Amino acid sequence: MSKTLKVALGLGFAMLLIGIAISFTQRGSVATDNDDAVLADARLATPRPLTAFALTAHDSRPLDRERLRGRWTLLFFGYTHCPDVCPITLSELAGMARTLEPTLRDDTQFVFVSVDPQRDTPESLGDYVRYFDERFLGATGSIEALTSLARQLDSRFSLETDPAGEPVVNHSSAMLLIDPQVRYYARLKAPHYAEQIRTQYLALRAEYQQFQSSRP
């Protein structure tokens, strides 16, 4: 692992501890949200099929429509030098993944897409995502490919430079749920907590299964 990535992870971990401490003070009020209202707000009225896209995963294999087909995918846009939102979210997502039953876990992909391809190579992404969970998949691609996928998932990002010449990356903080038919199915808004992700994910899956089984 490079020195730069180690520093980024160290800073991220420090912010993660702060974020977790804050989250514990907020979970009680968040947990009181009406479940039906939360789900209604999360799921799309009509799931939207994703059109063709092509990124490169950290295992050097393509990340495209076919790789998502047949499994549920929880996807989050970010970058490895992110000081707070990304490491906090990935840590909560890893906590959620550990609570899933093996059959559900095997049926779920966890994908982190970097919108900072100049600094985040597929190889460095592999080191980064495995820091949180060995099952996580990191991917990136050209700005054009990333923009195309982000637009399909109602997400945005921007790459700028500050006065000191340092990169500044902005990105959407929502977590996107893609169903086994490779359709954009739901949008889970931040802040993200492991228990909430699990509750919403399982409920959305149950709704999907119920609808599929009721079809003639």
Side-chain angles (χ1 to χ4, degrees), residues 46-86:
T46 302
R48 301 208 303 257
L50 297 186
T51 60
F53 67 93
L55 303 179
T56 301
H58 77 254
D59 58 6
S60 298
R61 293 171 53 199
L63 179 71
D64 54 18
R65 280 176 44 85
E66 291 311 306
R67 192 157 186 185
L68 302 187
R69 191 179 303 281
R71 299 171 71 188
W72 288 89
T73 300
L74 282 161
L75 185 149
F76 183 75
F77 289 102
Y79 63 112
T80 66
H81 293 73
C82 179
D84 41 40
V85 174
C86 297

Side-chain angles (χ1 to χ4, degrees), residues 33-50:
D33 288 345
N34 181 274
D35 290 342
D36 291 337
V38 171
L39 288 180
D41 187 49
R43 64 175 175 267
L44 273 65
T46 302
R48 301 208 303 257
L50 297 186

Side-chain angles (χ1 to χ4, degrees), residues 1 18 25 28 36 60 70 79 87 89 98 110 125 148 166 171:
M1 186 182 294
I18 296 173
T25 68
D36 291 337
S60 298
Y79 63 112
T89 299
R98 288 191 293 269
F110 304 90
L125 275 169
S148 174
E166 294 297 318
H171 61 90

Side-chain angles (χ1 to χ4, degrees), residues 78-155:
Y79 63 112
T80 66
H81 293 73
C82 179
D84 41 40
V85 174
C86 297
I88 290 173
T89 299
L90 290 175
S91 180
E92 293 288 340
L93 190 58
M96 174 269 196
R98 288 191 293 269
T99 69
L100 292 178
E101 297 177 2
T103 54
L104 290 177
R105 192 163 56 239
D106 292 342
D107 190 40
T108 308
Q109 298 188 99
F110 304 90
V111 179
F112 177 71
V113 175
S114 171
V115 296
D116 187 13
Q118 185 172 355
R119 291 184 294 178
D120 293 344
T121 64
E123 294 74 21
S124 66
L125 275 169
D127 288 336
Y128 186 78
V129 296
R130 286 195 297 265
Y131 176 85
F132 298 95
D133 194 293
E134 289 291 330
R135 294 176 291 265
F136 284 9
L137 188 65
T140 191
S142 67
I143 294 298
E144 293 76 16
L146 292 166
T147 300
S148 174
L149 180 59
R151 283 175 177 169
Q152 294 190 64
L153 296 172
D154 294 333
S155 299

Side-chain angles (χ1 to χ4, degrees), residues 74 95-101 104 188 193-204:
L74 282 161
M96 174 269 196
R98 288 191 293 269
T99 69
L100 292 178
E101 297 177 2
L104 290 177
L188 311 184
Y193 306 121
E195 304 96 295
Q196 278 190 321
I197 300 170
R198 173 188 167 86
T199 298
Q200 292 180 48
Y201 175 52
L202 295 182
L204 288 163

